[in-house]
Amino acid sequence: MTQILMWASCDDSHTRDRLLPGAAGRSAGVSVAAILVVCLACASGAALQAAAGFGFALMAAPFLVRLLGPGDAVALVAALAIVVNALTLGLSRASGATVLTVELLRLAPGAAAGVVAGALLLGVVPAAALQATLAAAVLAALVIGGRSGGVPVGAPRPGHRQLVAVAAGAMTTTIGVNGPPLVLWLRGRGATPEQLRATLAVAFLGAGAATLAVLAALGELGLGSGPILAGGAGVVAGHALGRRGAAAMAVARHERLVTATLALSAVAAALSAVVG
C-alpha cells in the first residue's frame, strides 16, 4: 500500500514504472473471472464496513491490486469508498445517529500534520519499520484495552487527541489504513456503534474525495467500465447485507467485531512490513 501512495504522488512516469511495474492499463483486459472476484471483494469489504464502521479498503484493496494493478486499484477503492461511506452516513443519519463533528474538527489539524510527517518519514525511515511500529502500536492498544475492560472513557489529557490524529495521518501515508487510531479514540470517547459508523463515514468521505482529486489532477482516472460496475454492484449488495447484520447486532457483538477488525488491520500492517 505504501508503494501505491508513492506511485500516486509521483509525477515521473519512469519512476512510477520502477515503483509499480505494470501498474497502468491492467484493467483494460480484465477477465470475467476477475470481474467476479472484484465484485465479491468489494461486497465483503462493504459488508464489513457497514457492520463495523470501517474495513472496506482493508478487505478489498489486496484483491483489487492483484487483479487490476495498483494504479487502477487505488482509484477504484477511493471511488467505491465514497459510495460505501455515503450509504453508511445516509442510513446512520436516517436512524438518528449523530456525527461527532466537533471531535472530527479537533482531530483535523493533527491528522493533516501526520499526513505530511508520514510522507517525510518515508524518505528517511524504511517503510517496513514504520509499518511494523504502527502494527505493534495498534496491537498494544488492543491488549491494554482488553485488560482494562475497554478503553477508559473520560476527559482526554492535553495532547492525547492530537497524538491520535497525527498517528491516523501518518498511517494514511505509510500503510494506507487510517481507521485504527480513530476507532480506538472514538471508542474511548464513548461513541455508540451508530455514532462510530457515522463519524468514521464523514472522515473517510473526506479522505476518499481528496484521493480522487489527486488522481484526477495526475490524469490517472482511466478505469474501465467493467471493474466499476462490478465493484459498484458488490458495494451495494455487501452494504445492504452488512447493515442488516448491524441492525440486529448487540453492542457487545459490535465491540467484538470492531476489535477483530482492528486486529486484522494490525496483522495486515505487519505482513506489509515483512513482504514489503
Side-chain angles (χ1 to χ4, degrees):
M1 191 63 72
T2 301
Q3 287 178 303
I4 295 175
L5 292 164
M6 293 172 68
W7 176 87
S9 63
C10 179
D11 58 4
D12 179 69
S13 60
H14 296 295
T15 303
R16 289 190 182 192
D17 291 340
R18 177 175 57 81
L19 289 170
L20 296 170
R26 284 183 53 180
S27 69
V30 177
S31 67
V32 174
I35 288 294
L36 290 175
V37 174
V38 168
C39 183
L40 290 173
C42 291
S44 63
L48 177 60
Q49 181 130 343
F54 68 112
F56 173 70
L58 184 67
M59 290 291 291
F63 296 97
L64 299 183
V65 168
R66 196 74 172 175
L67 292 169
L68 307 178
D72 287 344
V74 70
L76 186 59
V77 167
L80 294 179
I82 290 178
V83 177
V84 171
N85 288 294
L87 288 171
T88 300
L89 181 60
L91 292 173
S92 295
R93 295 289 289 164
S95 67
T98 56
V99 176
L100 303 180
T101 306
V102 173
E103 195 64 46
L104 285 179
L105 291 175
R106 289 173 176 171
L107 289 166
V115 167
V116 176
L120 294 175
L121 284 174
L122 279 176
V124 295
V125 180
L130 293 172
Q131 292 164 337
T133 300
L134 291 169
V138 173
L139 289 174
L142 287 173
V143 171
I144 293 171
R147 288 182 175 179
S148 63
V151 184
V153 177
R157 295 180 181 179
H160 280 196
R161 178 182 284 108
Q162 293 311 315
L163 286 176
V164 169
V166 169
M171 289 180 75
T172 301
T173 43
T174 53
I175 63 175
V177 177
N178 57 8
L182 297 176
V183 172
L184 289 167
W185 178 258
L186 292 173
R187 286 174 75 186
R189 303 303 305 134
T192 66
E194 284 298 336
Q195 285 178 326
L196 183 67
R197 294 187 191 99
T199 304
L200 289 175
V202 172
F204 295 154
L205 273 171
T211 300
L212 283 183
V214 170
L215 292 175
L218 293 172
E220 297 296 343
L221 292 180
L223 282 170
S225 59
I228 294 174
L229 293 174
V235 160
V236 172
H239 193 274
L241 181 63
R243 285 300 298 188
R244 287 186 63 181
M249 189 181 299
V251 174
R253 286 191 64 189
H254 180 264
E255 286 291 310
R256 289 194 292 270
L257 177 61
V258 168
T259 298
T261 308
L262 286 169
L264 180 61
S265 70
V267 171
L271 288 176
S272 295
V274 172
V275 303

